[in-house]
Amino acid sequence: MRFLLLAALVLGSLVLTSAATAAPPVRDRFPVEGQFALDGLSAACGVPVDVSLEGTFSITNFLDRDGVTVREIDTQPGTKLTYISDFGEISVPFSGVLHATYPEGGVVGAPATLVMTGNTGPFSDLVPMGSGRVVLDGVVADTDGPFVFTRFTRLVSASGNFRTQIDRVCGALSG
């Protein structure tokens, strides 16, 4: 029994030591506003479609002891997506959460795994629009200090409802 207690104390101190040597998380929160064309959704709806993005992005980066980002959580509190065509518009909440991990660190050229859950928009041909869970592979394309910019390279899996929202948006936007 005494051996188990000693082993638990040693293991606990190692865990605390490794946690204590990591740099504190870096947080940023900023307003976003913009509009861009969505070619994939335009093709699905049969009319040109733009998306307007308005709200706030919140980013938390977790760093290793050398200050390199190894994990990230992004949210969009209060952000909405407005899909727009010549025939109408429809707004939906952008309430997704992105969890990114950088197994080799957030350095240019390194691999990334991204898991998005919640209500997401189609921001590339790989990211479906709807609600659920999407897993993507990616690569670090650029960095700005601890902030990592990732390019999606492959859809690994998607589960959830990614058809109903497309049908609803296209129904509101087609003539």
Side-chain angles (χ1 to χ4, degrees):
M1 179 67 143
R2 187 173 179 177
F3 174 74
L4 289 176
L5 180 60
L6 181 60
L9 288 172
V10 169
L11 183 59
S13 68
L14 290 174
V15 169
L16 290 175
T17 301
S18 66
T21 59
V26 175
R27 301 176 199 284
D28 195 13
R29 187 178 175 104
F30 53 91
V32 293
E33 186 176 339
Q35 184 171 327
F36 52 94
L38 291 174
D39 295 334
L41 190 57
S42 296
C45 293
V47 297
V49 176
D50 283 3
V51 66
S52 169
L53 178 72
E54 184 178 344
T56 301
F57 279 8
S58 179
I59 300 170
T60 303
N61 289 323
F62 298 88
L63 314 175
D64 66 12
R65 67 176 168 256
D66 297 322
V68 176
T69 299
V70 293
R71 193 167 56 91
E72 173 181 340
I73 300 173
D74 299 347
T75 60
Q76 309 78 34
T79 300
K80 73 176 179 175
L81 302 171
T82 301
Y83 298 96
I84 306 160
S85 80
D86 289 341
F87 303 101
E89 66 181 53
I90 184 172
S91 293
V92 298
F94 181 22
S95 56
V97 177
L98 172 80
H99 292 263
T101 55
Y102 308 103
E104 296 175 14
V107 295
V108 174
T113 301
L114 304 112
V115 178
M116 292 191 304
T117 55
N119 192 39
T120 64
F123 297 112
S124 75
D125 291 336
L126 295 176
V127 181
M129 177 174 65
S131 296
R133 182 176 191 270
V134 178
V135 180
L136 300 146
D137 283 337
V139 63
V140 176
D142 200 3
T143 62
D144 183 5
F147 299 99
V148 178
F149 303 95
T150 306
R151 181 174 46 86
F152 303 125
T153 57
R154 182 175 74 97
L155 176 65
V156 175
S157 66
S159 59
N161 184 350
F162 296 104
R163 190 71 236 165
T164 303
Q165 190 163 313
I166 292 172
D167 292 343
R168 187 169 65 106
V169 168
C170 287
L173 300 181
S174 52

